[in-house]
Amino acid sequence: MITASLNSYLVVSALLFVFGFIGVLLRKNTLVIFMCLELMLLASTLALVAFSRFNATLDGNVFVFFILTIAAAEVAVGLAIIVALFRKRHTVQVEELNHLKN
Amino acid sequence: MADTLFIVFSVLTLACAALVVVNKNAVNAAMFLLLALVGMAGLFVLLEAPLLAFVLILVYAGAVVALFLFIVMLLDTKGTTAKLNKLTVAASGIGGLLLFLGVSLIARRSHLSAPVTGVAMPTFKNYAEQLFTVYLLPVQVVGFLLLISMIGVIVLSKKFKTEEETK
């Protein structure tokens, strides 16, 4: 039984996305930026599931399966890149990773 | 009843997400990400998708957050107190506000569909039917993508010796 409206789910999803967005812009640690990216992905996932339930289809839910798979693969590759970067530069702070600038 | 649960889970998710953003320590941020995921799984259960809640807990809380914690502890980064650029703060505040305003305006003004009642909760069988008929090709592609990412991670984390070192 569903009592909360689709609008409230969408507002929660939007707020979650905004938190992730602000985190990506404000934080300096690459790992935390990556976590905030995950938050944004989760927000879009919530919107998909809500739309799918309120329209009584299964397509959105199946799509969320794929999103979760892609997110897992993305995290694995991204963290491997961060580790490789740390080996070379000995830092994960974004303001020190400016070797392409000059 | 479900309304109370919705409020509880959404507040849990949003508060933990905010704490992920403002926390100085990366380990604590990962822990709050875990809590936010639990709230999210609760919201999925309220949306009658318990299987997705399972998968979310298994894949995200089980694998992704564990991987994050592992890397955070492996790299052992010091929490630097770099000063925030004022322009960045203002830009992110305005950007976030605009994003939220846009979505909430759309959500309030448009006539969104009311929940369709009398639909059976999707079971494993429904999911399997979809995945093996309509979405068969995407399933194959995603499997191949996982293989590619596995090979990519191995290549990225392997130390290749240069010519002089092997001699």
Side-chain angles (χ1 to χ4, degrees), chain B residues 70-91:
Chain B
F70 174 67
I71 299 297
V72 168
M73 290 177 180
L74 181 76
L75 299 187
D76 190 28
T77 57
K78 303 158 290 289
T80 52
T81 51
K83 256 194 272 174
L84 290 170
N85 191 348
K86 265 183 196 151
L87 196 64
T88 318
V89 176

Side-chain angles (χ1 to χ4, degrees), chain B residues 5 18 21-23 26 31 36 42 67 69 85 109 113 115 130 135 143 160:
Chain B
L5 281 178
V21 174
V22 298
N23 221 309
M31 285 305 179
L67 206 60
L69 278 175
N85 191 348
R109 291 228 179 144
S113 45
Q130 289 279 310
Y135 293 98
F160 290 103

Side-chain angles (χ1 to χ4, degrees), chain B residues 27-85:
Chain B
V27 177
N28 291 350
M31 285 305 179
F32 281 119
L33 182 63
L34 193 64
L35 273 179
L37 286 169
V38 170
M40 193 64 131
L43 285 179
F44 280 4
V45 171
L46 287 186
L47 282 169
E48 300 184 346
L51 188 64
L52 282 180
F54 268 140
V55 173
L56 191 81
I57 292 288
L58 272 179
V59 173
Y60 261 91
V64 169
V65 175
L67 206 60
F68 265 119
L69 278 175
F70 174 67
I71 299 297
V72 168
M73 290 177 180
L74 181 76
L75 299 187
D76 190 28
T77 57
K78 303 158 290 289
T80 52
T81 51
K83 256 194 272 174
L84 290 170
N85 191 348

Side-chain angles (χ1 to χ4, degrees), chain B residues 6 8 12 107 116 125:
Chain B
F6 170 75
V8 168
L12 175 71
V116 183
K125 197 181 165 191

Side-chain angles (χ1 to χ4, degrees), chain A residues 27-65:
Chain A
R27 294 304 301 261
K28 304 286 170 108
N29 192 332
T30 320
L31 288 162
V32 181
I33 290 177
F34 213 31
M35 286 180 210
C36 294
L37 272 178
E38 294 301 313
L39 279 183
M40 287 160 79
L41 262 179
L42 277 177
S44 59
T45 306
L46 179 63
L48 264 177
V49 175
F51 272 121
S52 156
R53 171 64 191 85
F54 278 76
N55 289 306
T57 67
L58 206 56
D59 295 333
N61 287 9
V62 174
F63 209 80
V64 170
F65 262 119

